[in-house]
Amino acid sequence: MVHGNITFFRPGTGEVSVGILGNGGAYTLTQPKSGLSVGAYKVMVTPLRDYKQVESQEGSDIEIVLTGEERIPDRYRNRETTPLTAKITGEEDILSFELSPP
């Protein structure tokens, strides 16, 4: 089951790599296929968001409403505010991150 995304952003070069968060927070980077270049990265974690369309009170407009519970604090979702970082060495890098509540 997919629970969200993890994004690695390399300041200075703009290099980005994205992965999918699964059960228990496990992830595998899927883009780019070649993996990450050696260097320092900011790491963002974003929840999967579900939306549904509902008819407005007036009956003529359709609005989109966010559904589901979000468990990832806002600070982890933005490259300017995330405290998460990663250093890629070029060896077999296995990285774990701990997120704390707001």
Side-chain angles (χ1 to χ4, degrees):
M1 173 179 261
V2 175
H3 296 286
N5 295 307
I6 186 165
T7 304
F8 287 72
F9 173 77
R10 188 171 177 195
T13 67
E15 181 180 350
V16 174
S17 185
V18 179
I20 296 171
L21 290 173
N23 290 334
Y27 68 92
T28 301
L29 297 179
T30 57
Q31 296 294 325
K33 297 277 187 207
S34 60
L36 293 170
S37 301
V38 171
Y41 291 81
K42 297 285 276 183
V43 181
M44 288 82 58
V45 181
T46 53
L48 198 61
R49 301 179 83 152
D50 294 323
Y51 296 89
K52 67 177 179 176
Q53 289 187 348
V54 295
E55 196 170 317
S56 71
Q57 299 271 340
E58 294 78 34
S60 60
D61 296 329
I62 300 291
E63 60 181 288
I64 305 296
V65 176
L66 177 65
T67 62
E69 182 180 345
E70 295 184 14
R71 297 181 185 160
I72 300 172
D74 287 341
R75 70 179 172 273
Y76 296 109
R77 302 176 195 192
N78 182 302
R79 69 179 175 211
E80 303 300 324
T81 59
T82 183
L84 304 177
T85 60
K87 183 167 176 98
I88 304 302
T89 64
E91 301 297 319
E92 186 174 329
D93 295 300
I94 299 174
L95 304 170
S96 295
F97 303 98
E98 188 170 324
L99 281 62
S100 56

